[in-house]
Amino acid sequence: MTIRTRFAPSPTGYLHIGGVRTALFNWLLTRRHQGTYVLRIEDTDTERNKPEALQPILDGFRWLGIPWDEGPEVDGPYAPYFQSQRFATYKEAAMRMLASGHAYTDYLTKDQLDSERKAAEVAKKPYIHRGPHRATPADECVRLYAANPTALRLKVPEGRSVVIDDVIRGRVEVQTDTIGDPVILRPDGRPLYNFAAVIDDVAMKITHVIRAAEHLSNTPVQVLVYEALGLPMPTFAHVPVVNEPNSKKKLSKRDMKKFVTADVRAKLRMVGYTDEQIESRDDLNPATVAFYRELGYLPTAIVNYLARLGWSLDDKAEKISMADLIANFSLERVSSAPASFDPDKLYWLAGEYMKELPLEEKVAGCVPFLQRAGLLGASPTPAEIEKLTKIVTAAGDRLKLFSDILTYGRPFLVAKIDYDPKGVEKRLKKAGAADHLRAFAEVLKTAEPFDVPTLDKSLHEYCAAKAIKSGELVHPVRVATTGVEVGVGLFDALAILGRDTVLARIEDALRLA
């Protein structure tokens, strides 16, 4: 059997981290078994669809490196399948169910249905709808529908159980007497989710339906649709939800603004977003893939991290290559317990992957962030790229995200630096700091060559001669030349800035001391 899986998002919001984890599990299973992974956009709910949300979904998967394997032919990558382009298929299947007596017409109005529901609430009974035409012969339902199209409902068999053998959650059994007759086709011909998903999964020959645990409640109805149409059923696997950090609450895009901390806001501002955009945009929060792309996370780190959310290779491995993920992934090792999202671990993992990135690729990844911040032009010169390469080299393992270059690179790419008031107060106005800065500036005027070893030696010789600790000079020099208290190694910083800039900035800083 050739394994075929699918991921089927609705374009009602931006690409969610939990959704990507589910898609990734589908993709990994097919890659391990040389199968096919399909992307299907479930866009039949026209009232909730957001056209602007579709492209970020497509771009997000391509950026992460988990593309789908088939779809309508277009220039370049495959397009996904769209349910909105398949209405005729759903109509034909619904008519078959109507003709076979597995579905029936329902002409009740919304007000009548609401009245039924309220009556059940008053009686404190579960609302299990059974329509008036449930017992109407199939041929009569077909005649009624032809004369006056209306909603069609699945005729749920009574007095039996539906059994689902879920790969992750085990045996699940639901009594049909607890299931109301669901609408499968609206009066305007649009299908409902539980019906359309089955028709599509059969048409696309999906062998494994791997989806979020919240869909488990939909599965009994879908099983009944498979049975009514006499169609082969796939293997079901419902993956656990992803919870908020240190919480038992599901990670939700609607609630994630609280994780846009002051530090996160500062980074988003640094990469070019206004406070208004941060507040209004749905994708600028830690529950969406776009958030991590905007901050310059490596997609390989995100894929690795999401694969480990609820799945394990062994009891200790955290950093796992894509090749090893593909070679070892199995549904049997997916936990049924909810996974907890840990942004700190993701950030750590991003740093581990950045360490391994070739220098040239690091530099190239930093360029767009510097351009967006106005620190580099649209076409950087060879000299600018050479300088940036020195900055990236000096930043070393401090550079965990591409956007970190805005923190570590800014002092070297602006003509005039802004001095951190706290740094000025703490380092430049400290007793004796100004005198040491003036004296060390004289040393720097004759330091030759103006490189890291010479500058390191010059500063330590000065400190030894003055009988002071090196920190008493290192910190004032750093603030004087970069404006901040933290950054790349001091001697790397001085060498990158060059003698003239260093001396000019020390002179400016002394006016503040």
Side-chain angles (χ1 to χ4, degrees):
M1 175 183 68
T2 299
I3 287 181
R4 290 175 62 87
T5 67
R6 50 73 163 177
F7 181 63
S10 299
T12 55
Y14 290 91
L15 192 53
H16 186 266
I17 282 292
V20 174
R21 194 274 304 265
T22 301
L24 177 61
F25 284 2
N26 279 275
W27 188 85
L28 288 171
L29 186 69
T30 57
R31 283 299 179 275
R32 180 178 181 184
H33 297 284
Q34 295 80 50
T36 301
Y37 165 67
V38 172
L39 179 64
R40 184 173 74 227
I41 305 299
E42 298 193 337
D43 58 344
T44 59
D45 191 350
T46 53
E47 290 83 5
R48 296 180 63 230
N49 289 344
K50 295 180 180 178
E52 70 275 12
L54 174 61
Q55 197 59 46
I57 292 174
L58 308 184
D59 292 343
F61 283 124
R62 288 167 180 152
W63 175 67
L64 289 167
I66 49 176
W68 54 103
D69 299 318
E70 68 174 43
E73 294 284 346
V74 293
D75 294 334
Y78 287 117
Y81 293 110
F82 290 87
Q83 283 191 332
S84 59
Q85 298 171 2
R86 299 172 54 78
F87 284 163
T89 302
Y90 309 131
K91 178 75 174 289
E92 188 275 333
M95 291 301 100
R96 278 194 283 137
M97 290 179 62
L98 189 64
S100 66
H102 289 95
Y104 63 90
T105 52
D106 193 343
Y107 290 96
L108 293 186
T109 66
K110 181 179 182 300
D111 287 344
Q112 288 173 314
L113 292 170
D114 287 343
S115 179
E116 273 191 7
R117 188 176 292 105
K118 288 177 182 177
E121 290 176 1
V122 170
K124 296 184 178 180
K125 294 181 179 179
Y127 176 56
I128 310 297
H129 178 72
R130 300 283 188 252
H133 283 291
R134 180 182 167 88
T136 301
D139 57 351
E140 178 63 10
C141 282
V142 171
R143 187 193 68 77
L144 288 170
Y145 187 84
N148 184 16
T150 186
L152 297 184
R153 289 185 181 271
L154 170 69
K155 187 187 296 183
V156 174
E158 296 179 306
R160 55 161 287 199
S161 62
V162 178
V163 176
I164 304 153
D165 290 316
D166 191 281
V167 176
I168 296 171
R169 314 191 80 80
R171 181 184 174 90
V172 178
E173 190 169 345
V174 178
Q175 301 302 310
T176 57
D177 291 342
T178 66
I179 304 172
D181 291 347
V183 173
I184 60 173
L185 206 67
R186 296 180 177 91
D188 62 6
R190 288 181 298 148
L192 272 293
Y193 165 74
N194 279 329
F195 178 62
V198 171
I199 304 308
D200 285 337
D201 286 342
V202 172
M204 297 171 189
K205 300 178 181 178
I206 302 303
T207 62
H208 291 67
V209 172
I210 306 166
R211 57 190 178 189
E214 54 257 44
H215 285 292
L216 184 59
S217 61
N218 295 317
T219 308
V221 169
Q222 293 179 8
V223 167
L224 293 174
V225 174
Y226 278 106
E227 291 178 354
L229 290 167
L231 298 172
M233 264 180 281
T235 297
F236 289 104
H238 290 85
V239 301
V241 299
V242 177
N243 286 341
E244 292 180 359
N246 304 310
S247 171
K248 293 182 179 181
K249 185 179 179 182
K250 178 187 171 185
L251 184 69
S252 167
K253 284 179 287 190
R254 287 183 291 274
D255 296 334
M256 286 301 289
K257 284 294 184 183
K258 61 190 174 187
F259 295 109
V260 183
T261 62
D263 181 57
V264 168
R265 285 177 178 275
K267 284 197 171 188
L268 287 170
R269 289 191 203 102
M270 195 177 289
V271 299
Y273 287 103
T274 64
D275 286 331
E276 183 181 358
Q277 289 172 320
I278 295 170
E279 285 299 322
S280 64
R281 286 185 50 164
D282 292 335
D283 57 338
L284 295 181
N285 76 65
T288 66
V289 168
F291 173 84
Y292 299 96
R293 187 176 185 177
E294 290 301 307
L295 289 186
Y297 279 73
L298 283 170
T300 47
I302 295 174
V303 168
N304 182 162
Y305 178 73
L306 293 180
R308 284 285 291 109
L309 271 181
W311 175 86
S312 61
L313 175 62
D314 50 40
D315 61 354
K316 56 185 178 181
E318 294 290 349
K319 187 170 181 292
I320 310 170
S321 70
M322 181 68 87
D324 285 338
L325 288 174
I326 291 171
N328 293 282
F329 182 81
S330 69
L331 293 173
E332 287 71 23
R333 291 193 67 85
V334 175
S335 170
S336 61
S340 181
F341 185 71
D342 185 346
D344 292 334
K345 183 176 285 187
L346 174 54
Y347 183 68
W348 167 80
L349 200 54
E352 294 301 299
Y353 274 91
M354 188 68 81
K355 288 177 185 178
E356 297 178 352
L357 199 67
L359 178 59
E360 187 175 338
E361 292 182 35
K362 280 188 187 180
V363 171
C366 290
V367 167
F369 289 89
L370 294 170
Q371 290 173 325
R372 186 169 177 175
L375 298 173
L376 271 184
S379 300
T381 65
E384 287 174 324
I385 294 298
E386 181 181 359
K387 186 176 186 178
L388 177 56
T389 301
K390 291 178 181 178
I391 297 168
V392 170
T393 301
D397 294 347
R398 299 176 184 86
L399 202 68
K400 292 177 171 57
L401 315 176
F402 287 127
S403 62
D404 287 341
I405 194 62
L406 298 174
T407 297
Y408 296 110
R410 184 176 295 274
F412 308 102
L413 301 171
V414 294
K416 196 81 172 174
I417 57 174
D418 294 320
Y419 287 94
D420 173 27
K422 290 183 180 178
V424 170
E425 191 67 31
K426 183 177 179 181
R427 304 300 183 185
L428 300 186
K429 293 187 176 182
K430 186 177 180 180
D435 292 336
H436 287 305
L437 273 176
R438 288 191 188 89
F440 187 58
E442 294 302 317
V443 174
L444 293 175
K445 289 178 182 179
T446 58
E448 198 63 47
F450 202 81
D451 59 13
V452 171
T454 303
L455 296 169
D456 188 341
K457 181 182 178 183
S458 298
L459 184 141
H460 284 91
E461 286 180 347
Y462 175 92
C463 291
K466 299 293 184 179
I468 62 172
K469 295 180 180 179
S470 60
E472 294 183 54
L473 183 57
V474 166
H475 297 305
V477 171
R478 180 186 293 282
V479 172
T481 57
T482 67
V484 292
E485 292 188 80
V486 295
V488 306
L490 175 62
F491 307 115
D492 289 301
L494 299 178
I496 293 169
L497 289 168
R499 192 194 315 271
D500 292 345
T501 299
V502 167
L503 294 174
R505 287 186 177 180
I506 289 176
E507 186 175 338
D508 288 342
L510 286 170
R511 297 190 185 100
L512 303 174

